[in-house]
Amino acid sequence: MGIVAISRQVAALGDEIAAVAAKKLGYTFVSRTELEARIVRLGFPADRLIKYDEKKPSFFSSLAKERDDYLQYLQTAVLEAANEGNCILIGRGACVILEEVPNLVSLRFVAKDSIRLQRLAKEFTWTEKQAQQRISESDSNRGGFNKSFFGIDINDATHFHLVMNTGIINADEGGTIIANLVDTLITPERDSIGREKIKTMLAAQQLVNKLIFEHKVAVEFLHAVINDKTILLRGIAESSAIVEHTLELTQKTMPGYVVQSAISIVQDFKMYQ
């Protein structure tokens, strides 16, 4: 069971190569629209998606609790898709969310601006100015999205197994390269360890969702890590009473685990609603 995560520039043949690779590997291609639909099905309002989905949040949006909720739903959608196995995910920070998963193959597609301009102008019958505006907006949004939500520079090649120049590699060639790379990297041992890693990450994310969305715990940026039979919680709370309450709920939700806290207490910390 391999997982392929793709980051791409606009007009860098992201969907085209992903579709070819999925066919060659026999994988499911989880497209942008499918991942958006998963996020909405999980509970995030569809009319609010445009504020955060692969965009740098505005100043006030970045301070809103809604932003944190979007991230929790996004991570859940990516982990659920990965847990189903043998899939290709595109965009939405999947490369970063799954970065520590052993059976992940992560790639980034880029191309020269001149080539991307030609592709956009041809596809949409745009002027060069319109195409350039689209490139500038998309590059800024995707860069801002990854910086805001994951704290990374998406142009840093060290986050990927391979960066592919799709200005000189076509969709069929790109799909073949990906299929060969998956066959080379995803050994039975990596596959087995990766499966368990994804299950554990998904269980931790489901715990966070239960605490936030069902129990309404007042812990911002809540994150859980499960290691063997230990659960470590991180986040920010206003008081020790909130932390204790969160630990109690976690213990009831996950009996048999040792629950530990790395939640910071910051008085008067408030996110905009």
Side-chain angles (χ1 to χ4, degrees), residues 94-104 193-194 197 201 225:
C95 291
V96 188
I97 294 169
L98 301 172
E99 194 165 22
E100 296 182 3
V101 173
N103 59 339
L104 172 75
I193 297 172
K197 178 71 172 177
M201 291 173 68
V225 176

Side-chain angles (χ1 to χ4, degrees), residues 208-239:
V208 168
N209 292 354
K210 190 176 186 67
L211 292 171
I212 293 175
F213 302 123
E214 292 185 29
H215 295 295
K216 310 295 184 183
V217 298
V219 180
E220 310 300 342
F221 312 118
L222 183 61
H223 180 71
V225 176
I226 298 177
N227 186 14
D228 293 327
K229 299 300 289 184
T230 300
I231 299 172
L232 178 66
L233 298 178
R234 296 190 177 95
I236 300 175
E238 283 195 302
S239 69

Side-chain angles (χ1 to χ4, degrees), residues 4 17 20-21 24-25 105 107-109 161-166 168-185:
V4 177
I17 295 177
V20 172
K24 290 179 179 293
L25 288 165
V105 175
L107 306 112
R108 180 158 170 79
F109 301 159
H161 286 89
L162 178 69
V163 176
M164 193 180 301
N165 182 352
T166 68
I168 55 178
I169 297 173
N170 64 35
D172 189 66
E173 292 167 341
T176 300
I177 290 170
I178 293 172
N180 290 337
L181 188 60
V182 169
D183 288 340
T184 300
L185 292 179

Side-chain angles (χ1 to χ4, degrees), residues 3 28 52 59 79 109 162 164 187 203 225 245 268:
I3 310 298
T28 299
Y52 302 99
F59 175 74
L79 287 167
F109 301 159
L162 178 69
M164 193 180 301
T187 63
V225 176
H245 179 58
D268 298 325

